[in-house]
């Protein structure tokens, strides 16, 4: 089990490109949006579990969720579901939102496409996914 101080956790997230500071990490710990710290020896520390939570919190915050709403959503989720949320952070980077096009194909299906893909290839991809969804409804 990897252990971290609040400062190390902050530095790790900053290395990943997150705009976060030490006060924010401590605040999230204080309000209980992060799980309680682990006790290792006689010290309370952050672990990889806390990193996954922080990634999920930052991802959901980018979608416009309030901290109270995020806390409620994460409360009963298993760790693997929290990891999946955090893994989607790249989709919510300002660079991706501004540069890429997102197309709604169905009620539950969205496709984000880079502008580097040709218009012809993009249209084929959208048509293919639409066709697959329609076949699945039959």
């Amino acid at each position: 089990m990897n252990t971290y101080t609040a400062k190390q956790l902050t530095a790790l997230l900053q290395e990943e490109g997150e705009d976060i500071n030490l006060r924010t990490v401590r605040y999230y710990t204080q309000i209980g949006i992060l799980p309680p710290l682990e006790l290792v020896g006689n010290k309370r520390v952050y672990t990889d579990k806390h990193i996954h939570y922080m990634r999920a919190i930052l991802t959901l915050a980018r979608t416009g969720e309030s901290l109270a709403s995020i806390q409620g959503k994460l409360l009963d989720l298993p760790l693997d579901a929290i990891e999946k949320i955090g893994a989607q952070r790249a989709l919510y980077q300002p660079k991706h939102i501004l540069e890429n096009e997102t197309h709604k194909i169905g009620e539950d299906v969205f496709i984000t496409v880079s502008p580097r893909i040709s218009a012809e290839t993009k249209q084929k991809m959208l048509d293919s996914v639409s066709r697959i969804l329609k076949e699945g409804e039959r």
Side-chain angles (χ1 to χ4, degrees):
M1 170 175 66
N2 295 318
T3 61
Y4 310 91
T5 64
K7 189 173 184 178
Q8 290 170 326
L9 178 70
T10 303
L12 183 94
L13 292 166
Q14 288 173 341
E15 287 173 11
E16 294 177 359
E18 295 298 338
D19 183 23
I20 190 162
N21 60 47
L22 182 57
R23 276 177 63 190
T24 303
V25 171
R26 288 185 173 147
Y27 176 68
Y28 288 175
T29 304
Q30 181 184 6
I31 65 170
I33 195 168
L34 285 174
L37 297 180
E38 303 284 332
L39 187 61
V40 175
N42 62 349
K43 294 169 107 179
R44 296 201 176 278
V45 295
Y46 295 90
T47 64
D48 291 332
K49 176 181 177 179
H50 295 95
I51 291 172
H52 296 305
Y53 268 83
M54 281 299 302
R55 289 174 180 151
I57 291 164
L58 295 168
T59 300
L60 292 171
R62 286 189 182 135
T63 68
E65 294 281 342
S66 69
L67 289 180
S69 173
I70 292 169
Q71 188 171 16
K73 287 182 179 187
L74 298 181
L75 190 61
D76 295 322
L77 288 179
L79 187 58
D80 63 329
I82 289 169
E83 287 180 53
K84 286 179 185 177
I85 293 168
Q88 296 179 42
R89 283 179 310 149
L91 298 175
Y92 296 97
Q93 298 287 353
K95 177 182 173 191
H96 291 281
I97 293 170
L98 294 173
E99 291 179 1
N100 296 338
E101 300 173 16
T102 300
H103 301 271
K104 184 175 181 179
I105 305 298
E107 192 59 36
D108 298 321
V109 180
F110 294 84
I111 296 179
T112 301
V113 183
S114 166
R116 294 183 297 274
I117 293 178
S118 72
E120 181 182 334
T121 301
K122 177 175 44 176
Q123 193 57 52
K124 286 181 183 178
M125 182 177 61
L126 296 172
D127 292 344
S128 295
V129 173
S130 295
R131 187 178 62 254
I132 290 167
L133 289 173
K134 286 178 185 171
E135 290 172 1
E137 291 174 358
R138 294 181 195 166

